[in-house]
């Protein structure tokens, strides 16, 4: 009986950890992407100084969250996000609104996509 | 993480059901084509178990297909002698009438050391004692010793022997097997009486009890309750 209880406790712990990871991923993805609207508006208004400042804040948040994301998600996904960050940074430096806006949208999609892939749904299982 | 747990659990049960559907065989008894099927199934299951990007259906569908093909081949094997020869091959006689067949050893790519090793595994240490050695289709070696070298049978000595059937398990881990008790035309009252004769007053104290065909009851207590054979 002791072993059954131990097994159930370990299983419940792993399950709990799993649910915690899903919630934490959603929260941190929302945290990283919350300034994206401001950057997008700044790009549309060609306010490059503000766009760069906001983007720097986003990059700092990403660098903070990236450390623990790497323990959970596919490293290929992290490489995609890093690549997209570099591209957006270059487009902002070259003050190209079309490319910067497009790449920012791709970056947002890459980040929002991560918690989606971890959610429990029929599409993700089957 | 939760997805990995769910996918692993589903695939675990799919693989267990698939293995059950393929029949009762141990790894050592598998035919070569059955071993291949086992390897493919485990590989298929692992693909979507470890990768959340791969849908589980891409593992389940191939596993079901392989199981269907495997059961079909097994049925074909059962029904047709020709199919059996093609799929499983034929047993090979490596020692015939006490003589090693070099041509068959070469054909099956088995050297003399391998042959001696397999014979030793069958408790046969002298090749001169062997009348026939047959390499079965699953890779096992079957040995028939020369008549002068095989163990003596009661029939050789014209001895009468009593009937020996399988002992019936009556109690396992403190639980009475009522079906077996009924099959031997006995009841729990008889069992309790027999146990009390041995100083056991609760069935829970018994680890194992069995009844042989001569009517002898073997009882072993649990470690906490004495743990001795009575």
């Amino acid at each position: 009986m002791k072993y059954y209880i131990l097994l159930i406790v370990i299983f419940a712990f792993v399950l709990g950890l799993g649910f915690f990871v899903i919630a934490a991923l959603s929260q941190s993805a929302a945290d990283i992407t919350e300034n994206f609207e401001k950057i997008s508006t700044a790009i549309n208004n060609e306010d490059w100084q503000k766009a760069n400042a906001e983007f720097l804040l986003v990059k700092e948040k990403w660098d903070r969250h990236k450390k623990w994301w790497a323990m959970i998600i596919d490293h290929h996904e992290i490489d995609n996000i890093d690549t997209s960050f570099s591209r957006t940074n270059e487009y902002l430096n070259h003050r190209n609104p079309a490319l910067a806006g497009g790449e920012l949208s791709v970056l947002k999609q890459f980040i929002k996509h991560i918690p989606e892939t971890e959610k429990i749904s029929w599409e993700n299982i089957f | 993480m939760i997805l990995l747990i769910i996918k692993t659990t589903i695939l675990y049960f799919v693989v267990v059901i698939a293995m059950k559907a393929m029949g009762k065989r141990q790894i050592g008894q598998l035919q070569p084509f059955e071993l291949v099927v086992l390897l493919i199934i485990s590989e298929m299951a692992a693909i979507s178990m470890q990768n959340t990007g791969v849908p589980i259906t891409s593992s389940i569908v191939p596993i079901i297909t392989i199981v269907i093909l495997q059961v079909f081949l097994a049925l074909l094997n059962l029904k047709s002698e020709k199919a059996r020869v093609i799929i499983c091959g034929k047993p090979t006689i490596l020692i015939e009438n006490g003589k090693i067949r070099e041509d068959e050893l070469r054909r099956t790519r088995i050297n003399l050391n391998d042959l001696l090793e397999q014979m030793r595994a069958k408790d046969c240490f002298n090749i001169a004692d062997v009348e026939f050695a047959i390499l079965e289709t699953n890779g096992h070696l079957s040995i028939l010793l020369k008549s002068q070298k095989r163990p003596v049978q009661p029939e050789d000595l014209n001895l009468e022997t009593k009937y020996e059937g399988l002992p019936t398990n009556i109690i396992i881990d403190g639980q009475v097997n009522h079906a077996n008790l009924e099959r031997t035309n006995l009841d729990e009252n008889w069992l309790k009486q027999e146990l009390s004769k041995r100083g056991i007053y609760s069935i829970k104290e018994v680890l194992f009890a069995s009844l042989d065909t001569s009517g002898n009851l073997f009882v072993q207590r649990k470690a906490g309750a004495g743990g001795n054979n009575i």
Side-chain angles (χ1 to χ4, degrees):
Chain A
M1 196 63 192
K2 258 192 306 185
Y3 296 108
Y4 288 116
I5 293 168
L6 187 70
L7 279 176
I8 290 166
V9 168
I10 294 170
F11 192 63
F13 173 74
V14 177
L15 272 181
L17 192 68
F19 282 112
F20 170 76
V21 163
I22 293 173
L25 273 177
S26 300
Q27 207 177 349
S28 72
D31 182 37
I32 296 167
T33 54
E34 76 173 335
N35 286 8
F36 272 46
E37 280 307 310
K38 287 181 189 168
I39 303 171
S40 193
T41 314
I43 291 170
N44 289 338
N45 297 335
E46 302 210 3
D47 183 355
W48 299 108
Q49 208 172 359
K50 192 183 176 193
N52 269 318
E54 291 292 342
F55 184 74
L56 207 66
L57 282 177
V58 172
K59 183 78 172 67
E60 273 169 18
K61 279 183 189 172
W62 164 241
D63 287 336
R64 215 170 48 239
H65 288 289
K66 189 170 90 170
K67 284 170 196 157
W68 70 269
W69 276 38
M71 288 190 281
I72 294 153
I73 62 167
D74 190 348
H75 288 195
H76 187 66
E77 304 265 18
I78 290 178
D79 292 342
N80 282 343
I81 295 171
D82 275 334
T83 311
S84 190
F85 260 109
S86 302
R87 262 198 221 122
T88 314
N89 191 33
E90 281 306 302
Y91 294 145
L92 285 174
N93 286 341
H94 287 87
R95 301 186 169 191
N96 186 325
L99 289 176
E103 195 59 42
L104 194 72
S105 174
V106 170
L107 182 58
K108 191 176 176 183
Q109 179 57 33
F110 272 145
I111 295 170
K112 291 243 174 196
H113 160 77
I114 302 291
E116 292 298 321
T117 56
E118 291 291 323
K119 271 186 187 156
I120 306 164
S121 64
W122 287 111
E123 300 92 72
N124 282 342
I125 297 171
F126 292 97
Chain B
M1 195 180 266
I2 292 277
L3 275 180
L4 286 177
I5 296 171
I6 294 171
K7 283 175 133 188
T8 307
T9 309
I10 294 171
L11 281 166
Y12 171 76
F13 285 110
V14 168
V15 172
V16 168
I17 292 166
M19 294 296 174
K20 284 284 271 181
M22 287 189 342
K24 288 181 183 173
R25 289 284 184 100
Q26 287 181 355
I27 297 291
Q29 298 171 329
L30 293 176
Q31 295 290 344
F33 79 99
E34 289 169 324
L35 184 65
V36 170
V37 166
L38 258 185
L39 294 176
I40 295 174
I41 286 181
S42 53
E43 180 65 31
M44 282 291 139
I47 289 172
S48 65
M49 237 184 231
Q50 63 192 349
N51 192 345
T52 47
V54 179
I56 203 167
T57 43
S58 58
S59 282
I60 293 176
V61 172
I63 288 174
I64 292 171
T65 312
I66 284 168
V67 169
I68 291 169
L69 290 174
Q70 157 68 16
V71 172
F72 176 74
L73 270 190
L75 286 176
L76 201 67
N77 242 351
L78 202 68
K79 299 273 178 200
S80 158
E81 177 75 32
K82 276 184 187 169
R84 210 173 304 155
V85 171
I86 294 167
I87 298 165
C88 300
K90 278 196 278 190
T92 309
I93 299 173
L94 299 179
I95 299 177
E96 193 174 16
N97 297 319
K99 279 194 76 179
I100 300 167
R101 290 190 56 181
E102 286 181 61
D103 54 335
E104 292 294 348
L105 281 180
R106 254 196 306 276
R107 198 176 65 77
T108 50
R109 291 183 293 283
I110 287 179
N111 61 42
L112 279 168
N113 289 336
D114 291 338
L115 179 65
L116 290 171
E117 192 180 315
Q118 286 213 44
M119 282 173 54
R120 284 197 296 273
K122 294 266 173 186
D123 292 330
C124 176
F125 293 88
N126 189 354
I127 206 162
D129 296 348
V130 178
E131 189 73 52
F132 278 91
I134 301 163
L135 184 68
E136 305 294 354
T137 52
N138 58 13
H140 282 199
L141 191 74
S142 302
I143 290 169
L144 178 69
L145 294 172
K146 287 179 177 164
S147 58
Q148 300 90 335
K149 297 292 179 181
R150 67 174 166 78
V152 176
Q153 306 292 319
E155 201 182 353
D156 297 334
L157 304 170
N158 289 325
L159 290 175
E160 286 284 323
T161 52
K162 282 192 285 181
Y163 169 76
E164 279 178 12
L166 282 175
T168 311
N169 301 334
I170 306 286
I171 302 172
I172 294 175
D173 207 9
Q175 300 282 322
V176 179
N177 188 326
H178 291 281
N180 281 355
L181 206 56
E182 273 173 34
R183 206 171 297 138
T184 49
N185 294 323
L186 296 165
D187 56 18
E188 211 168 315
N189 287 333
W190 169 85
L191 183 62
K192 281 179 181 164
Q193 257 178 7
E194 287 294 320
L195 291 177
S196 63
K197 279 184 203 167
R198 291 164 169 81
I200 302 169
Y201 300 100
S202 165
I203 286 168
K204 297 261 179 240
E205 287 177 39
V206 179
L207 178 73
F208 182 75
S210 69
L211 187 71
D212 67 17
T213 43
S214 309
N216 300 318
L217 185 70
F218 169 85
V219 182
Q220 184 172 330
R221 274 179 167 169
K222 285 184 182 172
N228 49 337
N229 301 345
I230 303 160

